[in-house]
Amino acid sequence: GRHVVSGDGTVLRSALPRVPAWRWQRLLFAQVLPLSAALQGLALLHASAVALGGKALAFTAPSGTGKTSVAAHLVARGASFLTDDALAIEPTAGGLLAHPGAGMASIDDKEWQAMSPEGRARFGRRLGRSDKSHFALAVPERPLPLAAVYFLRRDGHADRFSIEQRRTVDPGRLLGSAFVNFVRTPEHLTRQLEACA
C-alpha cells in the first residue's frame, strides 16, 4: 500500500492493495504506525514486549536476534502479548509507560514447532504465511509500566542466548535501539533522550 502521514501524526491516508489484509497490515504496523506515534510524541524502541503481572517486559536487539521468538515463547507460557518489533514508550513522572502495539506477531516456524500444543493454542488463528507465520493476538487496552528492558545477543551458536543483569544501563545502549531515527525534530530527539535516560 501507499500511506501519507500528516506532519503531526494524527491523520493517516492509505491506498491499500487488493491482497489479504495481513500482508498490507505488516507494513502499516511496522513502519507507518510507529512514524505516527513518533510524530505524536512517543519514543520508540526496536523491541518486542510482553505483559506479565501488570507490567511490561521488553526485549531489544538487532533484527534477526530473537526478540519476537523470546516474546512468543513467553506468551506460549502464559504472558500476554504487548507488541512485536516496535515498542512505543512514554516518559512520565512515575517512570516509563509501554504502549500496546498492533495485535500481530510474526513467528518463525522453527520457534512455533518448539512450543507445546497448549502454548501454540494461546496464539489463536493463523492469519497467513510468508517466511514466518502471522497471528492476530489480543493486547492490553492501556499502557503498562515498563518494568525491564532486556538486551538480547546471540552467542557463537545460532540457538544460544545470554542474559546479563545490570543495575544501571548506559543510555547509549537504549539510544542505539531507537526505532524511528529519521524524525529529527528537536522535540522528538529530546523525548527520545528523556526516555532513554
Side-chain angles (χ1 to χ4, degrees), residues 45 49 55-58 82 87 89 95-98 144-149 174:
L45 294 178
K55 298 192 183 215
L57 306 174
L82 189 66
L87 173 63
I89 54 175
L96 292 174
L97 289 179
L144 300 172
L146 182 59
V149 176
L174 283 173

Side-chain angles (χ1 to χ4, degrees), residues 99-120:
H99 287 261
M104 180 186 246
S106 301
I107 301 170
D108 182 271
D109 286 338
K110 178 181 164 189
E111 301 299 334
W112 176 252
Q113 291 303 321
M115 295 176 194
S116 70
E118 296 80 18
R120 288 195 296 264

Side-chain angles (χ1 to χ4, degrees), residues 17-80:
R18 293 183 180 147
V19 297
W22 67 268
R23 288 197 180 272
W24 60 261
Q25 287 171 347
R26 289 179 65 202
L27 174 64
L28 180 77
F29 297 157
Q31 298 295 323
V32 181
L33 293 182
L35 171 59
S36 176
L39 293 172
Q40 291 183 59
L42 298 174
L44 281 104
L45 294 178
H46 188 197
S48 294
V50 297
L52 193 61
K55 298 192 183 215
L57 306 174
F59 309 95
T60 185
S63 294
T65 303
K67 297 178 299 296
T68 301
S69 296
V70 169
H73 282 283
L74 288 170
V75 168
R77 293 181 178 172
S80 297

Side-chain angles (χ1 to χ4, degrees), residues 3-12 27-44 86 88 179-185 188 191:
H3 310 276
V4 176
V5 180
S6 66
D8 65 359
T10 60
V11 177
L12 170 65
L27 174 64
L28 180 77
F29 297 157
Q31 298 295 323
V32 181
L33 293 182
L35 171 59
S36 176
L39 293 172
Q40 291 183 59
L42 298 174
L44 281 104
F179 191 74
V180 177
N181 50 18
F182 52 86
V183 175
R184 298 191 181 268
T185 64
H188 176 71
R191 280 190 299 272

Side-chain angles (χ1 to χ4, degrees), residues 120-197:
R120 288 195 296 264
R122 293 183 51 83
F123 287 86
R125 185 174 63 91
R126 186 183 313 223
L127 299 173
R129 280 189 95 253
S130 59
D131 57 325
K132 298 182 177 184
S133 292
H134 308 283
F135 295 90
L137 295 163
V139 296
E141 294 180 14
R142 296 180 186 81
L144 300 172
L146 182 59
V149 176
Y150 296 91
F151 296 92
L152 303 180
R153 68 175 188 180
R154 292 225 186 242
D155 288 336
H157 304 323
D159 57 350
R160 285 191 19 205
F161 287 97
S162 64
I163 298 175
E164 180 180 346
Q165 185 174 5
R166 295 182 175 214
R167 297 276 179 228
T168 59
V169 175
D170 174 6
R173 288 188 76 185
L174 283 173
L175 282 172
S177 299
F179 191 74
V180 177
N181 50 18
F182 52 86
V183 175
R184 298 191 181 268
T185 64
E187 298 81 16
H188 176 71
L189 294 173
T190 299
R191 280 190 299 272
Q192 196 80 26
L193 284 169
E194 286 175 355
C196 291

